Amino acid sequence: MTSMDLVAFDLAWDRLESWLASHSPADHAALRPPAEAGEIAELEGHLGFALHPELRRLLERRNGVVEPERSSGSGDGVFPAGGILPLGHRLISTVDVAEMHKILVDVSEDNAEAELWDEEDLAGHLHQCVPFAVPNDGGFAFVDHRPGPTYGHVFEMGIGSGDLEGTLWGSHLTEFVDAIWHALETGAPFKNYWPTTFEHSSGRTCVEWEIRA
């Protein structure tokens, strides 16, 4: 990957953040500051391999999102700012990436012992997949780090619902981020997810995605 490829990622990410700042400020405010170099190095030490350059750049831009706000006994529930990706996926920090990766390693080892999947299947090399966002149902959005034609591909896998086949969300992070921005900007769907707005009782709003057939 060249420096020009990372310029393209930065442009795509800038467009997405600009849209959030203008149309969903609560979501934009939920984005955490960049990860520090030491945090990224510690994560790579945990993984045992280098991060894909685009995923590294994502963490250099934003180290996940803050936790949803909880009400102080008013009965208003949780304000879910930060779930800007389909299925309510929220960007995660370097610490959470390491923790979520450990779960994928465990799933991969269980599948290997049971011989349920071949190595060429996605579920056969989950130890080489690095999560960058999670929803609330035990799923993952991750970047494939296996050397070869799928290196850098973005997948979503609903492990909590028993889905181990996964869904391709983009051939690389730049493509995925740009597709999310385009959906938000135009109102067009991403896959079968349609961007809409969640209105909280506090009067604030945030991005939400509806599943339509």
Side-chain angles (χ1 to χ4, degrees):
M1 172 163 286
T2 67
S3 59
M4 289 301 295
D5 294 320
L6 292 181
V7 168
F9 176 83
D10 282 334
L11 290 173
W13 187 257
D14 287 342
R15 284 192 293 267
L16 178 57
E17 281 212 30
S18 178
W19 189 95
L20 292 173
S22 297
H23 299 86
S24 189
D27 282 318
H28 187 260
L31 296 170
R32 298 182 64 207
E36 297 180 359
E39 293 174 311
I40 294 176
E42 184 176 352
L43 171 58
E44 290 184 322
H46 163 85
L47 296 173
F49 51 83
L51 288 167
H52 186 279
E54 286 178 313
L55 182 50
R56 169 184 282 270
R57 180 56 59 90
L58 173 59
L59 291 168
E60 290 173 342
R61 297 296 301 269
R62 295 293 184 176
N63 192 20
V65 299
V66 298
E67 291 298 313
E69 297 179 16
R70 296 190 178 275
S71 65
S72 55
S74 63
D76 289 338
V78 176
F79 179 63
I84 60 175
L85 304 179
L87 293 174
H89 278 77
R90 306 166 57 82
L91 298 176
I92 56 177
S93 68
T94 54
V95 172
D96 291 330
V97 171
E99 291 180 357
M100 296 300 104
H101 177 257
K102 178 61 169 59
I103 293 175
L104 290 181
V105 169
D106 291 342
V107 172
S108 181
E109 291 176 349
D110 289 344
N111 286 330
E113 291 178 3
E115 298 183 346
L116 298 175
W117 303 91
D118 295 328
E119 174 62 23
E120 61 267 20
D121 294 321
L122 185 59
H125 65 276
L126 288 178
H127 58 290
Q128 295 172 299
C129 297
V130 183
F132 65 90
V134 296
N136 294 320
D137 64 354
F140 299 88
F142 54 76
V143 176
D144 194 340
H145 282 64
R146 180 175 61 163
T150 64
Y151 179 67
H153 284 196
V154 178
F155 290 95
E156 186 276 329
M157 181 177 284
I159 292 179
S161 61
D163 169 30
L164 288 177
E165 294 187 3
T167 300
L168 180 65
W169 272 6
S171 60
H172 46 77
L173 265 175
T174 300
E175 177 185 275
F176 172 65
V177 171
D178 204 44
I180 294 301
W181 166 80
H182 182 266
L184 293 171
E185 175 70 13
T186 65
F190 170 77
K191 305 296 183 181
N192 61 328
Y193 306 106
W194 295 75
T196 184
T197 299
F198 171 83
E199 297 183 5
H200 190 253
S201 57
S202 65
R204 292 178 293 172
T205 62
C206 63
V207 171
E208 191 172 52
W209 297 81
E210 294 181 352
I211 301 176
R212 303 180 188 175

